[in-house]
């Protein structure tokens, strides 16, 4: 009884005051960092990205650059780590040379410190560069298409993607406040989250994949048969790796292996940006976690909306494996 009233020896009123203080400090911190969204050609993007949009638009891609494109939370980091291991297969230790966001800069991302912006990092890197983007097809700088760059697009089923994004927005204090889940789901369905509509995103790259040099992958396939998918990526990159090396890459890029790898798990990002009390970056890494979030009513409403939104393009997404 006494223990429950006096946590760590602090009287209840003092403990309450301390909790209030911590909460206020956290709210203040969030208000300072969380960015509003501003639209570029109808696509909501974080305001700092829009402020330097001209730099993004004018970015000069080189023919050997590789672009890894995804809707946020579709498995970008996983794809990046696999690609780095494929490209450095004789030297796995080299893949620990730096955090993933330094090894493969995030094209459009910027920060109050200009030295940390994706483009500044890319300008100091020697080609061939591997570049991350969440931009929808129509906003990717045209130089990538003019230079016929290879692009790896990773897509994830809409329900798991929405859930993962929700938890990410809870923890990432740069993103707008997510609010409660039903409200968030509504924003996802209406293309109001950062980087816009999931539906437009997955369809945009799908439609172009035959015309451009795009390898289109699914998170669910990667989960189900990682050997096959890593081999496809390796072949696309012209590497033709032996089966034993593919197996080693698969072993080093499991969810558990990446969760424990500080160069892949974003643990180097400060707490003032990633609030890990809210959620982890490497959260669950599963297919079907949406079942723990969608009510039966939300699921039925989502399915009806999904059918309408995806009626013009058959993309073989799987919500369970
Ligand atoms: P969850 O939130 O569902 O766990 P991104 O890199 O695009 O931000 O995507 C992050 C999502 O990919 C998170 O999903 C994360 O856990 C998952 N992920 C990261 N590495 C993974 C891996 N090796 N295997 C499976 N899922 C992985």
């Amino acid at each position: 009884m006494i223990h429950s009233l006096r946590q760590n020896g602090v009287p209840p009123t003092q403990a309450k005051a301390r909790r209030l203080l911590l909460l206020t400090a956290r709210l203040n911190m969030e208000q300072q960092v969380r960015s509003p969204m501003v639209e570029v050609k109808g696509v909501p993007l974080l305001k700092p990205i829009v402020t330097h949009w001209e730099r993004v638009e004018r970015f000069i891609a080189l023919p050997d650059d590789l672009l890894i494109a995804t809707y946020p939370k579709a498995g970008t980091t996983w794809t990046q780590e696999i690609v780095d291991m494929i490209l450095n297969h004789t030297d796995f230790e080299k893949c620990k040379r730096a955090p993933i966001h330094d090894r493969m800069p995030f094209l459009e991302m910027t920060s109050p410190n200009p030295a940390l912006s994706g483009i500044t990092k890319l300008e100091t890197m020697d080609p061939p560069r591997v570049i991350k983007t969440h931009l929808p097809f129509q906003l990717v700088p045209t130089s990538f298409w003019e230079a016929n760059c290879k692009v790896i697009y990773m897509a994830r089923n809409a329900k798991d993607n929405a859930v993962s994004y929700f938890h990410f927005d809870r923890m990432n204090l740069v993103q707008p406040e997510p609010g409660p889940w039903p409200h968030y789901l509504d924003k996802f369905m209406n293309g109001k989250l950062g980087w816009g509509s999931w539906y437009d995103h997955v369809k945009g790259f799908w439609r172009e994949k035959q015309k451009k040099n795009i390898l289109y992958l699914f998170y669910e396939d990667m989960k189900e048969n990682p050997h096959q998918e890593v081999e496809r990526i390796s072949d696309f990159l012209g590497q033709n790796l032996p089966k034993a090396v593919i197996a080693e890459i698969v072993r080093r890029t499991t969810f558990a292996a990446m969760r424990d790898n500080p160069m892949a798990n974003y643990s180097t990002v400060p707490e003032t940006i990633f609030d890990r009390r809210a959620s982890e970056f490497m959260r669950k890494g599963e297919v079907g976690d949406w079942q723990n979030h969608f009510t039966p009513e939300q699921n039925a409403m989502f399915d009806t909306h999904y059918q309408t939104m995806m009626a013009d393009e058959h993309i073989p997404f799987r919500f369970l494996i």
Side-chain angles (χ1 to χ4, degrees):
M1 180 67 176
I2 290 181
H3 178 72
S4 66
L5 287 176
R6 291 176 66 96
Q7 272 187 346
N8 304 325
V10 181
T13 44
Q14 273 185 40
K16 200 173 163 192
R18 200 167 65 182
R19 274 202 304 276
L20 254 173
L21 255 175
L22 278 172
L23 186 69
T24 317
R26 184 170 168 224
L27 283 175
N28 284 342
M29 195 169 80
E30 290 198 10
Q31 273 157 13
Q32 278 165 26
V33 203
R34 286 191 184 270
S35 293
M37 292 285 169
V38 178
E39 291 192 358
V40 171
K41 299 179 187 161
V43 177
L45 295 172
L46 292 170
K47 192 176 174 196
I49 296 178
V50 180
T51 307
H52 87 147
W53 184 247
E54 221 173 285
R55 264 189 104 196
V56 178
E57 225 173 8
R58 288 192 187 164
F59 176 76
I60 305 288
L62 304 169
D64 285 341
D65 287 341
L66 170 70
L67 187 66
I68 297 178
T70 57
Y71 188 75
K73 310 316 289 176
T76 328
T77 318
W78 192 10
T79 314
Q80 287 176 277
E81 192 66 3
I82 290 170
V83 165
D84 204 28
M85 293 205 176
I86 289 173
L87 297 178
N88 295 293
H89 59 275
T90 50
D91 187 358
F92 286 111
E93 281 310 301
K94 198 174 163 197
C95 301
K96 296 186 182 156
R97 66 195 177 281
I100 195 98
H101 46 96
D102 285 331
R103 282 181 271 152
M104 300 178 181
F106 187 175
L107 176 68
E108 63 271 23
M109 192 46 79
T110 189
S111 113
N113 176 356
L116 298 178
S117 91
I119 292 181
T120 307
K121 286 184 196 173
L122 285 164
E123 282 169 352
T124 61
M125 281 173 90
D126 292 328
R129 304 168 295 185
V130 183
I131 305 170
K132 160 185 166 179
T133 189
H134 288 323
L135 293 174
F137 182 85
Q138 70 276 18
L139 293 187
V140 171
T142 51
S143 62
F144 282 96
W145 313 125
E146 284 153 13
N148 197 27
C149 294
K150 285 185 182 174
V151 178
I152 298 179
Y153 187 79
M154 169 68 100
R156 186 179 195 182
N157 83 71
K159 294 179 189 177
D160 280 327
N161 208 144
V163 167
S164 181
Y165 206 174
F166 172 63
H167 288 293
F168 183 66
D169 281 357
R170 291 174 54 235
M171 66 96 81
N172 184 346
L173 302 179
V174 171
Q175 291 276 110
E177 171 64 48
W181 165 245
H183 162 83
Y184 193 85
L185 186 60
D186 189 67
K187 282 174 83 176
F188 178 89
M189 290 166 66
N190 290 297
K192 298 292 177 209
L193 300 178
W195 288 274
S197 160
W198 175 92
Y199 307 92
D200 290 348
H201 211 285
V202 297
K203 287 193 278 188
F205 281 90
W206 181 260
R207 287 182 182 132
E208 295 292 331
K209 73 181 188 341
Q210 309 293 10
K211 295 175 242 162
K212 308 268 191 294
N213 217 346
I214 299 174
L215 177 69
Y216 200 103
L217 303 170
F218 295 95
Y219 182 99
E220 295 73 27
D221 294 348
M222 190 90 100
K223 265 314 261 195
E224 191 176 57
N225 196 342
H227 288 81
Q228 174 190 293
E229 295 307 293
V230 171
E231 201 162 11
R232 283 183 68 204
I233 301 175
S234 153
D235 291 348
F236 181 68
L237 299 178
Q239 296 288 321
N240 288 316
L241 299 178
K243 294 258 184 256
V245 176
I246 299 283
E248 186 59 16
I249 294 173
V250 169
R251 194 181 70 74
R252 288 170 182 263
T253 55
T254 60
F255 177 80
M258 284 182 55
R259 184 195 53 208
D260 297 341
N261 176 357
M263 293 297 113
N265 65 14
Y266 281 90
S267 56
T268 52
V269 173
E271 288 281 335
T272 46
I273 298 180
F274 281 1
D275 179 2
R276 295 180 182 85
R277 290 165 305 177
S279 184
E280 288 290 331
F281 184 88
M282 299 292 295
R283 194 183 59 91
K284 280 197 174 173
E286 288 172 4
V287 177
D289 185 40
W290 61 269
Q291 297 169 104
N292 299 316
H293 293 74
F294 283 63
T295 63
E297 295 74 29
Q298 282 169 349
N299 196 32
M301 176 219 24
F302 192 91
D303 284 346
T304 308
H305 180 256
Y306 185 88
Q307 275 168 18
T308 312
M309 296 300 283
M310 299 299 276
D312 54 347
E313 209 62 69
H314 176 69
I315 310 183
F317 279 106
R318 291 184 294 160
F319 294 96
L320 293 171
I321 53 173

